[in-house]
Amino acid sequence: MVVVIGGGASGLGVAWDLTLRGIPVTVVEAEEIGAGTSGRFHGLLHSGGRYVISDPVSARQCHEENRILRRIVPTAIEDTGGYFVAVGDDTAYEEAWRKAMDQAGIPAVFVNREVLAARLPGLNPEQRGGYWVPDAILEGFRLLYLLRDNVMSHGGTILTHSRVVAVHEHNGCVSGVTLRTPEGLREIACSAVVNAAGPWAGEVARLFEDPLPMHLASGVMLLFAHRRVPVVVNRLAYPGDGDILVPHGETVILGTTDVHQPYPEPPVPTRDDVAALIARGQLLFPEMTEWRALRAFAGVRPLYASQHGASSRSVSRDFAVVDHGARVGFAGAFSLVGGKWTTFRLMAERTGDAVAQFLGIQAACRTAETPLLPSQSTRRGSPSPIVCECEGVTADDLVAWISSSPEEWRARTWWAMGPCQGTMCVHRGLALTAPSDVSEWRRQLKWVREERERGFWPAAYGDNAREFQLQTAVRYQTLGEGEAHAAL
Ligand SMILES: Cc1cc2nc3c(=O)[nH]c(=O)nc-3n(C[C@H](O)[C@H](O)[C@H](O)COP(=O)(O)OP(=O)(O)OC[C@H]3O[C@@H](n4cnc5c(N)ncnc54)[C@H](O)[C@@H]3O)c2cc1C
């Protein structure tokens, strides 16, 4: 049995890889699936174009994995393509970028400024044209739940709300872990452990008495109402703040900042973060201050700092599989650190190779050829009444997950995630659970509201602030939420 610590892209990817090799696996996640960085990212399936100058190794990995993921998980990818738009007069960077794309074998097709202006209304009129690249949209939660469901249907176990607090060894080999669960401490025997704890990987590695040099960098992103761009849009420049837009459903995400921080928890975005992002974003879309911002959120990059760069942007997006047996004699303990969401499958493959070799199991990786099949329809397309108008989520879509938490409903269906941020549909959705326990219903309502509002305040300006006041009035005066919260 192998215990994988972390229910993000890396941990679930490793669990899927090991499961297909016939190795029994248990994933232990401290919170919910996708609670870490994997649920707090842009949602860009990189073509490699962004890193082709700053980090060519990672760029090539992204390009190769982009092609594999389109094959094995088409239901979690929206193949929009993307543009790199040239603004300003840095023609030297453009020239170097084009050459690097050629060398890396990543397609980039020139698009003149007239065509670009027609495809991207509102684009800075001073743009000089751009390049089409095979970027795409990666629906992170959809892929996480596909991984989870497939691991479980192949016999794996996934434990959420369970934190690994100790790793045990016997004669220098991993023998088990201790978990803290809502019911108390629990022991699981195992012969190997994979630390895939993302930004927390440094802390988890201390359980092997082998701290890892992590470089943690937070990134703030801003969600706008309405799909302002039809495809992924990047600024053609060395990676910087506010230079990517990724559409998702009826919204679009602008990202990101990049600030080194010493702790793994994501920071609460500030109004200054939002103002700085928009100021940079205006280089692409000058009218961005008029767009309606819905909320800001942040994630933390779990970069591996074995090769220090001068800044977060220059630390490699490559990854490492660390063998703590070779380093400090804790045999069977491995850490997977660094990388990107786009490269999670390759990262899992390399980790699976190391673990299988340690266990003496000769089974090759099969993830590149094995499609991840949906276990059950999770989104859209069913004829039952619409519950969430913004995202087109029906009653059947939600009822399919009736026994899970509202957090899982939200992540699986996108219920309450659109422009109205769940003003009315939160009530309709929670009503479907028809709880006999009213205080549980109130608790869920409060949780959903707090979760949505957390990111709102940094983006509360102009029309958006007025819209929020209107929503609040509807919620408190029409729907009586004040009484529900007060009764708790
Ligand atoms: C702002 C930002 C934007 C990004 N955008 C993109 C993008 O567009 N495209 C892309 O390809 N990549 C992107 N990335 C990178 C990508 O999101 C990350 O590389 C990836 O999500 C990391 O996944 P992970 O599984 O390693 O970590 P996480 O998703 O953080 O998972 C680690 C999990 O471990 C759990 N955990 C921690 N400690 C314990 C413990 N003791 N016991 C049990 N569980 C534990 C945590 O709760 C967490 O859920 C972005 C990153 C950031 C910060």
Side-chain angles (χ1 to χ4, degrees), residues 5-10 28-30 35-38 40-44 46 162-164 196-200 204 219 221 256 299-302 339-342:
I5 305 173
S10 305
V28 183
E29 164 53 49
T37 311
S38 302
R40 301 166 160 277
F41 78 126
H42 283 122
L44 170 56
H46 286 278
S162 304
R163 180 176 293 277
V164 172
W200 294 266
V204 169
M221 291 153 284
T256 168
V300 178
R301 296 173 184 82
K340 301 288 298 169
W341 227 125
T342 304

Side-chain angles (χ1 to χ4, degrees), residues 46-48 58-71 104 106 342-343 345-346 368:
H46 286 278
S47 58
S58 180
R60 283 200 171 86
Q61 290 171 348
C62 285
H63 177 48
E64 184 57 27
E65 290 302 305
N66 177 309
R67 296 198 310 186
I68 294 173
L69 294 182
R70 283 164 190 267
R71 233 175 27 233
I106 306 172
T342 304
T343 56
R345 193 214 60 84
L346 176 67

Side-chain angles (χ1 to χ4, degrees), residues 215-219 257-261 299-303 312 317:
H215 181 101
L216 304 178
S218 65
T257 56
D258 193 312
V259 179
H260 178 47
Q261 64 171 44
V300 178
R301 296 173 184 82
L303 305 178
S312 303
R317 265 56 177 172

